[in-house]
Amino acid sequence: MTTLCDLALEVLKTADAAKKAALSRRAAEAWRVDPLMPVGTPSGIPDRPARPPRPELISPTEMPRRRGQSAEARATLLHAVLHIELNAIDLAWDMIARFTEEKFPRAFYDDWVRVADEEGKHFGLLSDRVEQLGYCYGDFPAHDGLWEAAFTTRNDVSARLAVVPMVLEARGLDVTPGMIKRFAKIGDMESADILQIILEEEIGHVATGNRWFQFMCRKTNLDPKEYWQKTVRKNFKGLLKPPFNEEARQQADMPSEYYIPLSFKENIKP
């Protein structure tokens, strides 16, 4: 019998980016239509998911500047988001398969399967748009920051929830509105509309991470704000960067008293 973990491992072990995104969506549909599918027990979860040979992965400080109005400049910017979405597909399925020993309720798996499905959708929308501009996934370099954070938190579900959705994906809520305005200003409404869809659904993804972090805090009788700040200090290098999209973060149930203190240097020591 097929299990949810079987589906997750199939996605994680698929290297081709477009196939990975399509498989993510099919796996999510299979879970939704079969209420009796067991979660299962994973074996052989890769520390790093299969990936295509391109793009070249470089340091974030070496990433090319993404300015200008040319098709190449716009494709470069969208490609950076496209790479994040590919990572996000793997992150959702890794969350599902890696932490089954926590014995989460089925709602946990429903939530992360929905996230995986939407990340697959985002990849498809962005990939199509980049191709319309004359390029494809892999044509520009990318960095590996998201998966480095996943690897660092691979042994602690609370740390994974605190850092990946609640810090790194929440950062997307801060920067995406500026990208939407940039594309709209130059009349590229196709790109702006795709980013608007992503922004609205990513609020739900951050909220999902927050919801299950709160669940773990209740389970272990820890204060959520204090434990989140302690966990972020331990597992995330540097400051959280303002300006923050406080409206979107509030919609994701992340009050400003959580993250604003971690934007000041004097507050980041453990």
Side-chain angles (χ1 to χ4, degrees):
M1 177 183 291
T2 298
T3 70
L4 182 61
C5 284
D6 292 334
L7 298 176
L9 288 173
E10 188 178 3
V11 175
L12 291 168
K13 293 179 179 181
T14 296
D16 182 90
K19 290 180 180 177
K20 185 188 289 285
L23 186 58
S24 181
R25 305 213 69 188
R26 289 199 300 271
E29 179 64 16
W31 172 256
R32 281 194 296 266
V33 302
D34 186 358
L36 299 180
M37 182 186 292
V39 172
T41 303
S43 61
I45 304 172
D47 281 338
R48 183 174 185 81
R51 292 289 172 81
R54 298 167 64 242
E56 176 189 7
L57 297 179
I58 62 177
S59 166
T61 59
E62 297 174 345
M63 287 290 291
R65 298 168 73 88
R66 300 187 287 265
R67 294 182 178 176
Q69 301 182 14
S70 68
E72 182 179 8
R74 288 179 284 151
T76 303
L77 179 55
L78 292 174
H79 185 276
V81 185
L82 180 60
H83 181 68
I84 290 170
E85 297 299 335
L86 185 69
N87 275 272
I89 292 168
D90 284 324
L91 285 164
W93 289 110
D94 187 85
M95 181 79 78
I96 287 164
R98 186 170 297 277
F99 300 110
T100 54
E101 75 279 359
E102 295 290 345
K103 305 299 181 185
F104 285 108
R106 190 176 179 94
F108 174 86
Y109 300 102
D110 289 340
D111 276 353
W112 289 107
V113 166
R114 174 184 53 79
V115 170
D117 188 17
E118 291 176 350
E119 304 293 17
K121 180 179 80 172
H122 298 168
F123 184 91
L125 291 170
L126 286 165
S127 181
D128 289 347
R129 182 60 186 145
V130 168
E131 289 184 8
Q132 289 166 5
L133 292 168
Y135 298 88
C136 64
Y137 180 66
D139 281 351
F140 306 100
H143 69 79
D144 205 32
L146 262 177
W147 202 261
E148 288 172 359
F151 183 79
T152 300
T153 58
R154 68 193 183 282
N155 296 318
D156 185 343
V157 67
S158 294
R160 172 68 65 83
L161 292 163
V163 172
V164 175
M166 298 178 71
V167 172
L168 298 177
E169 293 190 81
R171 177 64 178 159
L173 306 185
D174 304 331
V175 301
T176 304
M179 289 191 286
I180 293 170
K181 290 179 182 177
R182 173 177 168 179
F183 281 109
K185 185 177 180 179
I186 62 176
D188 185 348
M189 296 310 301
E190 294 92 340
S191 298
D193 290 345
I194 290 168
L195 291 172
Q196 185 63 43
I197 291 169
I198 292 172
L199 174 61
E200 292 170 2
E201 293 184 345
E202 291 293 343
I203 291 172
H205 300 178
V206 176
T208 295
N210 185 15
R211 179 162 55 254
W212 292 104
F213 182 80
Q214 301 277 342
F215 174 90
M216 292 300 297
C217 289
R218 291 192 299 272
K219 186 176 178 181
T220 51
N221 199 30
L222 292 167
D223 178 83
K225 183 181 76 171
E226 291 181 5
Y227 187 53
W228 183 78
Q229 292 175 344
K230 178 181 178 181
T231 303
V232 172
R233 290 187 189 106
K234 179 180 178 182
N235 294 279
F236 180 76
K237 296 178 182 178
L239 300 171
L240 304 190
K241 296 179 181 179
F244 301 110
N245 184 345
E246 296 195 26
E247 180 181 354
R249 285 169 174 261
Q250 190 67 38
Q251 290 179 54
D253 298 320
M254 283 197 68
S256 58
E257 57 264 28
Y258 271 53
Y259 53 84
I260 286 180
L262 298 191
S263 65
F264 296 100
K265 184 178 255 186
E266 60 267 26
N267 292 330
I268 65 169
K269 291 184 179 180

